Amino acid sequence: MTSIGIDLGTTNSAASTLIGDREEILDIEGDRTIRSVVSFEPGDDEVLVGNMAADLMERNPDVTVSSIKRHMVDDDYTVSIDDDSYEMTEYAPEEISALVLKKVLAGAEGSLGEAPDGAVITVPADFPENARAATRRAGELAGVDVLRLLSEPSAACVAYGLRDRDEDIERVAVYDLGGGTFDISLVDVAHEDKFYDVVATEGEQELGGDDFDEALAEWIAEQIEDETGVDVTDDPGAFLQLKGKAKNIKEQLSARNSATFRDPGTISGENVDIEITREQFEEVTEHLVDRTIEFSETAIESQDMTPDDVDTVLLVGGSTKIPAVKEAVEEFFGQEPSQEVNPDEAVAIGAGVFADSIDPKKALEGDGEDRSELPSDSEGIDVGDVVPDDLGIELASGKIDTIIESNANLPTMERREREYTTVEDNQTRALIKLYQGEGDTVDDGDLELKTEFVLENIREAPANEPEITVQVKLDEDGVLSAHAWDESVVGSDVIDPEDADEVADGEAHIDMTPSGDEEKLSVEEIRALLPSIA
């Protein structure tokens, strides 16, 4: 039985497993990593996924999807494909991600000679609840049993094998700058307990290599306009080509001090040569590097620490190859960061090692529930994660009452007994809405609606008399479940909402109806509609 780890990245994806006692990145059609890109070729009945799809981004931008991971946090985001070749015309982010995962799984099966029994899929440490749930759903749509969602900093620590070292390493900072997202996480290494515990995390879902490419492309566009009078930003196709060239120049400047942008006329219509120095690149991207350091400072301060309290710093993600990034990290922490493991592969390797330590049968016993007590095998690798942002309930006034605070350890459950009530006389129903993020009210904060449901059969009574309890639980993957009930109906004994249906007819009965679930297709139905991959 073989389980694998998958780094489902914004820019690139990879998979690994343990073969014997050696970590192996699995070959996917001749490559160690593939681009997380999907191209819906017009007139075809299957999609291209991976590096071949990435080659088509400039030619067919309207039917090619990249960086979909950035939109996993947006429940309303869809990708529209205007072509009769496909049964589906609109795809949610998890459906696009499922196609990428199918490609990774097909490659893994080719490398291993058998289909994996299950997979550990990595997520950014600051991924909110709905994005984690969407990632799990993507795995289900791809047809793989998702054993665990593993935070990327935890995966990096596993890849480095920090708990097995003789060095006195107890507090680790994982600086993870990938193609689309940035995370800074503080991880405690408990050597005796063989445990990695993420104690704090900060970051941004739209801060990564893509933004460095765009900043450089915009600067080049200004030089082109100065030289030719043509504003290439007015043409989405031309700017996409320019961004692709900017990415190549960025990579060249990581190895040398200057590079040349050449346009034979395909972008601006004129022959243009622009010499770009590393210093110029660093100037136009300095604000992005500074932003990552600001997040690093916030994470450190949240634990009443200073950078000197960090024993070692791990660099993860392809964008940490940028010299200015490494220099900024070294300056902030006062030590040279470690890149012993390939930053492009560290997360995948750690996920593969962790996947090997999980008994798939035991892991799937929970299947969507809290699996925090499930044992691992003799390797004894265990990890802990934290809640990335405050989670709270919206009150009638529009204010948010925080129930679970950021950086609380996962899994976690909070029950607010008898703390909520009705606002109208004889009110028998209440809409309960849970938000995650920062802010005191829905209108003035950076908040995302995570779930909403209707609590019914509240006892008819004057306003403020019913005593409503709300229970919120985040499992070890950070996936949310929430319940509520009317204590004044149930009586003095608290009834677990999961047992509410067992209340006899004529007695107090609790009924919760998640909004919109009735119209959703099942995993099997959506999986049948997804196109085949090439």
Side-chain angles (χ1 to χ4, degrees):
M1 299 179 71
T2 304
S3 299
I4 66 171
I6 300 176
D7 175 12
L8 180 61
T10 306
T11 305
N12 299 299
S13 294
S16 78
T17 192
L18 239 62
I19 298 179
D21 58 356
R22 186 177 61 189
E23 305 96 345
E24 291 284 349
I25 292 288
L26 297 175
D27 180 276
I28 306 175
E29 295 187 350
D31 294 298
R32 294 172 68 85
T33 63
I34 64 165
R35 296 292 301 279
S36 302
V37 180
V38 176
S39 183
F40 296 80
E41 285 297 276
D44 206 344
D45 59 356
E46 62 182 11
V47 296
L48 293 176
V49 180
N51 300 337
M52 292 181 63
D55 292 338
L56 298 172
M57 278 197 293
E58 295 178 10
R59 193 180 76 194
N60 293 324
D62 293 339
V63 293
T64 302
V65 186
S66 63
S67 299
I68 194 64
K69 185 174 177 178
R70 283 188 160 185
H71 300 287
M72 294 289 269
V73 300
D74 189 347
D75 295 330
D76 298 323
Y77 184 87
T78 58
V79 175
S80 298
I81 303 299
D82 186 15
D83 191 278
D84 294 335
S85 304
Y86 306 103
E87 292 187 73
M88 297 178 71
T89 57
E90 289 192 348
Y91 295 82
E94 60 262 38
E95 291 159 354
I96 298 294
S97 294
L99 295 172
V100 176
L101 287 172
K102 285 174 69 174
K103 184 73 170 184
V104 172
L105 291 165
E109 183 174 358
S111 292
L112 298 170
E114 60 179 353
D117 299 295
V120 169
I121 302 177
T122 61
V123 293
D126 70 335
F127 238 20
E129 185 280 330
N130 62 330
R132 291 170 182 258
T135 302
R136 175 172 286 281
R137 183 172 170 81
E140 294 170 350
L141 292 172
V144 67
D145 288 329
V146 181
L147 306 178
R148 177 80 183 266
L149 300 180
L150 179 65
S151 72
E152 291 167 3
S154 296
C157 289
V158 173
Y160 275 80
L162 295 181
R163 71 174 177 83
D164 298 322
R165 299 188 179 191
D166 294 331
E167 302 160 81
D168 187 21
I169 298 175
E170 296 181 351
R171 177 61 58 86
V172 181
V174 181
Y175 179 101
D176 185 351
L177 185 62
T181 60
F182 170 72
D183 286 310
I184 178 70
S185 301
L186 301 178
V187 184
D188 280 348
V189 183
H191 295 269
E192 292 182 4
D193 297 330
K194 300 180 179 180
F195 187 71
Y196 296 114
D197 187 18
V198 179
V199 296
T201 185
E202 294 288 341
E204 191 168 320
Q205 295 306 311
E206 295 192 8
L207 176 58
D210 289 350
D211 301 285
F212 284 76
D213 300 341
E214 183 142 354
L216 180 57
E218 289 174 349
W219 182 84
I220 296 173
E222 292 175 2
Q223 314 311 307
I224 292 174
E225 186 172 11
D226 289 344
E227 199 167 311
T228 68
V230 176
D231 184 359
V232 297
T233 62
D234 288 340
D235 183 342
F239 188 71
L240 189 61
Q241 290 185 58
L242 176 56
K243 192 174 174 181
K245 288 182 178 291
K247 176 181 173 63
N248 291 333
I249 289 171
K250 175 191 71 176
E251 292 170 353
Q252 292 176 43
L253 291 174
S254 292
R256 53 179 186 258
N257 292 322
S258 65
T260 303
F261 167 81
R262 289 189 172 90
D263 174 24
T266 57
I267 294 176
S268 64
E270 297 188 29
N271 192 358
V272 177
D273 283 2
I274 300 173
E275 188 78 8
I276 304 169
T277 66
R278 180 185 290 180
E279 183 179 0
Q280 288 171 319
F281 170 69
E282 291 176 352
E283 286 178 1
V284 300
T285 58
E286 183 179 15
H287 66 290
L288 299 172
V289 178
D290 289 346
R291 185 84 173 124
T292 70
I293 299 303
E294 289 170 7
F295 280 120
S296 301
E297 189 171 13
T298 300
I300 290 287
E301 290 176 350
S302 74
Q303 299 301 300
D304 294 325
M305 294 169 49
T306 69
D308 292 339
D309 294 322
V310 173
D311 297 317
T312 190
V313 182
L314 308 183
L315 293 184
V316 179
S319 296
T320 59
K321 296 176 182 177
I322 298 172
V325 169
K326 290 188 283 188
E327 292 168 6
V329 173
E330 182 171 354
E331 181 179 353
F332 177 75
F333 285 99
Q335 61 176 285
E336 184 178 356
S338 176
Q339 279 186 308
E340 297 173 26
V341 180
N342 185 334
D344 288 318
E345 299 176 354
V347 169
I349 289 172
V353 174
F354 185 73
D356 185 73
S357 75
I358 295 177
D359 182 332
K361 290 183 179 179
K362 292 176 182 177
L364 293 172
E365 286 173 3
D367 195 19
E369 301 297 330
D370 178 7
R371 298 185 303 285
S372 60
E373 300 302 321
L374 296 174
S376 300
D377 69 2
S378 59
E379 286 295 318
I381 298 174
D382 203 359
V383 298
D385 211 341
V386 293
V387 180
D389 293 297
D390 290 349
L391 185 68
I393 188 171
E394 180 186 5
L395 304 178
S397 63
K399 291 184 177 181
I400 299 297
D401 181 37
T402 299
I403 295 178
I404 296 177
E405 294 185 352
S406 63
N407 289 329
N409 291 325
L410 292 174
T412 185
M413 184 195 74
E414 291 291 338
R415 178 181 292 178
R416 294 295 181 87
E417 295 187 18
R418 307 173 185 271
E419 290 197 12
Y420 305 104
T421 188
T422 55
V423 294
E424 297 178 4
D425 292 340
N426 300 318
Q427 179 180 339
T428 60
R429 305 174 81 240
L431 177 63
I432 295 176
K433 303 174 81 171
L434 290 166
Y435 287 84
Q436 190 169 40
E438 297 181 2
D440 295 327
T441 70
V442 174
D443 294 331
D444 67 4
D446 183 15
L447 295 161
E448 291 283 343
L449 178 65
K450 297 294 109 177
T451 190
E452 61 181 33
F453 56 87
V454 176
L455 171 63
E456 298 185 333
N457 296 328
I458 300 172
R459 177 172 64 93
E460 290 191 27
N464 301 321
E465 187 173 307
E467 298 173 320
I468 296 172
T469 292
V470 174
Q471 176 177 289
V472 178
K473 181 165 67 174
L474 293 167
D475 70 11
E476 64 178 2
D477 289 336
V479 176
L480 171 69
S481 59
H483 306 281
W485 59 96
D486 179 359
E487 296 277 9
S488 57
V489 172
V490 174
S492 58
D493 294 330
V494 175
I495 294 179
D496 189 325
E498 295 179 0
D499 299 328
D501 289 336
E502 298 177 7
V503 178
D505 289 341
E507 298 182 25
H509 185 75
I510 301 164
D511 181 21
M512 293 189 303
T513 307
S515 58
D517 281 0
E518 305 83 358
E519 300 177 2
K520 291 183 179 178
L521 297 176
S522 68
V523 168
E524 290 75 17
E525 289 171 324
I526 295 177
R527 190 186 296 162
L529 291 175
L530 290 176
S532 57
I533 62 171

